[in-house]
Amino acid sequence: MFALLPIDAAPSLTPFSHSYHYRSAILFGFATVVQDHGEKLWAMELITNSVVPGRWENVRTPPDGGEMSSTTILKVRIASGSGKITDGPPHDEKKDLTREEIVTKVWTGVIPVYESLGPPIASETNRVGEVPEHIRSYIEESNKRGKSYPAEHAGEK
């Protein structure tokens, strides 16, 4: 099973109407161990590049025999899954929207939650002066994408 659930807060005029925006997905399936060397290498490249795009081309590859034998790759045949997204502004009750003493006093909206990648911190053994372009651009693009999704789906114009 795989699950994902980022959450944004959506406070409204009354505690009864407060809610959360979520983006969730759950997948169920059956896993088998990848035995074929070529398929295992291909999967390792996909996994490596999912951490930082272009990373496979910028590291020592292919993995040596010890690394290959100590790594297990699972192939998952997805049997079923479901997903749900909630978005938009908070949903206040009509009776509260007509009450001037409430709508002029209580802030409503969406407080977005997003992942933000910080500046890279070199390891103690690092001897490369500058952070490589593929890492800098990955951080920049990830942060743009992370911030834009909640804003776009919160009803922000």
Side-chain angles (χ1 to χ4, degrees):
M1 180 175 85
F2 170 78
L4 173 67
L5 183 65
I7 297 177
D8 305 324
S12 62
L13 292 172
T14 66
F16 179 77
S17 297
H18 279 37
S19 70
Y20 290 96
H21 291 169
Y22 56 90
R23 298 168 293 285
S24 70
I26 299 176
L27 303 174
F28 296 94
F30 302 93
T32 56
V33 175
V34 173
Q35 302 290 347
D36 179 75
H37 180 79
E39 185 178 8
K40 189 173 181 178
L41 209 58
W42 175 76
M44 291 173 80
E45 182 176 350
L46 288 177
I47 293 166
T48 301
N49 285 337
S50 74
V51 175
V52 175
R55 189 69 177 156
W56 186 263
E57 295 81 23
N58 289 281
V59 296
R60 177 188 52 79
T61 54
D64 63 31
E67 293 166 337
M68 289 296 285
S69 65
S70 68
T71 302
T72 301
I73 300 290
L74 299 176
K75 180 183 348 184
V76 179
R77 182 174 54 84
I78 297 170
S80 66
S82 67
K84 185 167 183 179
I85 296 173
T86 59
D87 60 9
H91 303 288
D92 289 302
E93 295 193 38
K94 289 180 184 179
K95 66 181 179 185
D96 293 320
L97 291 172
T98 61
R99 296 181 59 194
E100 198 64 23
E101 74 276 11
I102 294 175
V103 296
T104 57
K105 181 178 113 177
V106 179
W107 184 91
T108 64
V110 174
I111 303 168
V113 174
Y114 53 85
E115 181 178 73
S116 178
L117 305 178
I121 301 169
S123 71
E124 292 179 11
T125 59
N126 179 63
R127 292 186 183 180
V128 177
E130 289 188 31
V131 175
E133 174 57 30
H134 76 281
I135 294 176
R136 288 194 317 266
S137 63
Y138 165 69
I139 291 169
E140 184 180 331
E141 290 303 313
S142 292
N143 288 344
K144 281 182 191 173
R145 196 170 42 254
K147 288 181 180 181
S148 69
Y149 185 92
E152 290 169 6
H153 292 84
E156 185 175 280
K157 303 287 185 232

